[in-house]
Structure formats: C-alpha cells, structure tokens
Amino acid sequence: RRASAVINAKMEEQHKVIDIVNSDLSRMERKLQTMKPGPGQQEMLVEISACKKVLAEELTVLEQLEEEYIQAQQGVSQLEKEYDNIAISEEQAAIQTKNLTTKIAEQKDIVKQVENDVRNLQEAYENATPGNAQSEALAELNAAKKALQEDKNILASLTEEQERNNESNKRLSRQLRELQNDMAKMRLNGEQDTEEY
C-alpha cells in the first residue's frame, strides 16, 4: 500500500509537470501565430518541436507510472487474498484445535470411567464364588479391559492429531512471519516494484 501511495504521489507530480509543459507549449504556439516570418519564427518552431518532444517523454513517464501503480494495486490485492487465506487457515486450525481439545477432554473422562469400571469388575471377579459367577465376572472384566484399551487408543490418536495440528499451526505462523519479513527487507532494498515482491 505504501508503494502504491508513493507511485500515486509520483503520478500527481508527473501530472503537474505535464500541465506545465502543456501550458508552455500552448503559450509558444500562441506566440508563434503572432510572429512574422523570419529567423525568430524558425527558432520558435524549433522550441515548439523540442517542447512537444519533452511532452511526449513526460507522457511516457506517466504511462509507466500508471502501469506500476496498477501492478502495485494488483500486488496489494494478491497479498490481501493470500493474507486472508492464511488468516482463514489459522482460524480453521484454531477451531480444529479447540474441537480436538474438547474431544480429548471427553475421551479422558471416558477412560477414567472405564478404568473405574475395570477396578469394580476386578473386585467383583475376585469376590465371586468359583464357577459360573466367576466365569461371567471374568468375561465382563476382559470385555471392560478391551474397551479400556480401545478408549486409550482413541485418546492417543486424538492427542497425536492435536500435536500434528499444533505443529502445523506453528509452521503456518512461521511462514507468515517469514513472508512479512522478506517483504519488509525487499521494501527496504527498494524492490517493492519487482515481480518477486
């Protein structure tokens, strides 16, 4: 945006220069019409020709500035889109992290409950009388231990996914900072009008 503003200021200055040259050209052309043929008129024609050449050069400079301004505006637009995309990605990652944190908390509660159930079933098995009652208690205990292991696996999977997301968030933030730093360095080096910028 600053580069666009600088270019815009240069364009305004260029318009002023063109206005001055145009004014001089008009003045010379009016003066030429009142002159009598002779060496003075020839000199005025040479001056008018030189003034027209200067005007053409100044108009070319203005066109170049206008092109740079358009490129700078397009660059700003692209950067805004990229920045918005990164911001959206960060928001999505934050939401995903929050959802994972909630799921992990819920899964920890489930694991605690199942661990309590396993302890209760272990006591029931130890206190059961040998025979069918003890076999049933053992079957329930084994099923609860299997469910506990499955719940722990789910918890480990959620925790691993959260760690991957956290690492991804850090990487995304690092990339954004690096991009901003690179662009700041380029601006300091006067490279804001380059294709790379």
Side-chain angles (χ1 to χ4, degrees):
R1 288 189 183 121
R2 279 188 232 120
S4 294
V6 168
I7 294 169
N8 197 33
K10 288 179 182 178
M11 285 170 43
E12 288 176 16
E13 287 297 315
Q14 193 63 25
H15 277 290
K16 290 176 186 175
V17 169
I18 289 170
D19 289 344
I20 291 169
V21 173
N22 259 329
S23 175
D24 289 346
L25 181 60
S26 295
R27 184 182 44 77
M28 285 189 264
E29 287 175 339
R30 282 192 309 272
K31 188 174 181 181
L32 178 66
Q33 291 174 352
T34 62
M35 293 179 83
K36 294 181 181 174
Q41 191 181 39
Q42 292 302 318
E43 275 183 35
M44 185 57 70
L45 285 172
V46 170
E47 285 184 38
I48 288 172
S49 177
C51 191
K52 285 182 179 179
K53 185 176 179 183
V54 168
L55 181 61
E57 290 172 358
E58 296 299 338
L59 287 169
T60 301
V61 169
L62 179 61
E63 287 176 12
Q64 290 171 345
L65 287 170
E66 287 171 344
E67 287 177 19
E68 287 178 26
Y69 182 76
I70 290 169
Q71 289 174 350
Q73 288 298 97
Q74 289 171 344
V76 167
S77 178
Q78 285 176 330
L79 284 173
E80 285 174 344
K81 286 178 188 173
E82 286 184 38
Y83 189 81
D84 288 344
N85 287 341
I86 291 173
I88 288 169
S89 295
E90 282 185 319
E91 286 175 22
Q92 290 172 342
I95 290 169
Q96 201 171 18
T97 299
K98 186 177 179 183
N99 290 342
L100 277 173
T101 302
T102 303
K103 287 180 183 178
I104 288 172
E106 291 170 356
Q107 194 63 32
K108 284 181 179 180
D109 290 341
I110 291 170
V111 168
K112 279 184 185 175
Q113 181 60 46
V114 174
E115 284 175 341
N116 285 338
D117 292 345
V118 167
R119 277 194 292 280
N120 292 338
L121 288 170
Q122 182 71 39
E123 286 178 23
Y125 169 72
E126 289 171 1
N127 294 333
T129 56
N132 285 341
Q134 195 174 34
S135 294
E136 287 177 19
L138 181 60
E140 285 182 33
L141 177 61
N142 288 336
K145 284 181 178 179
K146 184 177 178 182
L148 177 62
Q149 189 56 47
E150 288 173 3
D151 288 332
K152 284 183 176 182
N153 290 344
I154 291 170
L155 179 60
S157 172
L158 289 171
T159 304
E160 185 179 310
E161 186 177 347
Q162 185 181 39
E163 288 171 6
R164 280 195 312 268
N165 281 351
N166 287 342
E167 191 58 38
S168 177
N169 289 349
K170 288 177 188 174
R171 198 170 38 254
L172 191 60
S173 295
R174 195 169 41 250
Q175 285 174 337
L176 179 60
R177 277 194 308 275
E178 287 173 2
L179 177 64
Q180 290 169 333
N181 288 339
D182 289 346
M183 291 181 69
K185 287 176 188 173
M186 291 179 81
R187 281 192 305 273
L188 290 173
N189 292 332
E191 299 174 8
Q192 65 265 20
D193 297 328
T194 63
E195 185 69 27
E196 184 181 1
Y197 182 84

